[in-house]
Amino acid sequence: MIKVVQPRVERVNYPRYRQAVYDAVRGLASREYRDSKWRRVIDDSYEDFMSAIDELYDGTAVFPNPSTAVGSAIFANEIAPFLDMYTSVEAMLSDLGEGPWDYDVDVSRWHEVERTAGVVARLMARNGGLD
């Protein structure tokens, strides 16, 4: 069996992308953010949420396949935690359906997004390459 080992990337080519990813992840990892924006989802917070989600999917293309962002915005050792976060975000988005939403968001889904985003945020901070 051949084992493919990805070389360690010491820096990213697009540090602004990395910072944008980190800011979006940190917002989703913050209980205070969730409590202020998502206790009751309203139009303003819907826009805040969608900008964070759009950054991860469209702005930096970390989701749905984080491995494509290695070297541009993330490091190779961040792939697995990003995949876990992607799974939790997708589960929450699937439950929510189309927004904006005028009902309480399932707290168990938020806890999982918060947990997985927290793991990613801490790893990104430890790996560096942020402003």
Side-chain angles (χ1 to χ4, degrees):
M1 175 173 159
I2 297 174
K3 183 177 179 182
V4 177
V5 178
Q6 291 188 347
R8 171 127 170 100
V9 176
E10 297 299 327
R11 65 178 186 81
V12 294
N13 294 327
Y14 305 102
R16 288 186 196 176
Y17 279 7
R18 182 166 178 77
Q19 187 65 50
V21 169
Y22 179 70
D23 291 343
V25 168
R26 207 173 49 170
L28 294 173
S30 167
R31 179 166 300 210
E32 293 77 22
Y33 179 85
R34 186 192 76 214
D35 288 347
S36 69
K37 298 293 185 186
W38 303 107
R39 188 173 300 279
R40 270 320 257 180
V41 181
I42 56 173
D43 288 341
D44 289 348
S45 57
Y46 170 74
E47 294 301 324
D48 291 344
F49 174 69
M50 288 314 296
S51 68
I53 295 300
D54 286 346
E55 191 63 54
L56 296 171
Y57 282 90
D58 299 327
T60 58
V62 171
F63 287 168
N65 185 357
S67 65
T68 62
V70 170
S72 61
I74 70 171
F75 297 123
N77 71 334
E78 296 167 352
I79 294 172
F82 266 110
L83 286 172
D84 289 343
M85 183 181 166
Y86 170 73
T87 300
S88 66
V89 167
E90 279 292 305
M92 185 178 69
L93 291 175
S94 177
D95 281 357
L96 291 174
E98 294 296 317
W101 310 285
D102 60 356
Y103 52 85
D104 288 325
V105 176
D106 180 358
V107 173
S108 65
R109 292 288 190 210
W110 266 116
H111 287 304
E112 188 59 13
V113 169
E114 181 182 289
R115 183 191 70 74
T116 58
V119 168
V120 171
R122 287 187 296 278
L123 181 58
M124 289 184 78
R126 191 168 47 249
N127 283 343
L130 302 164
D131 292 337

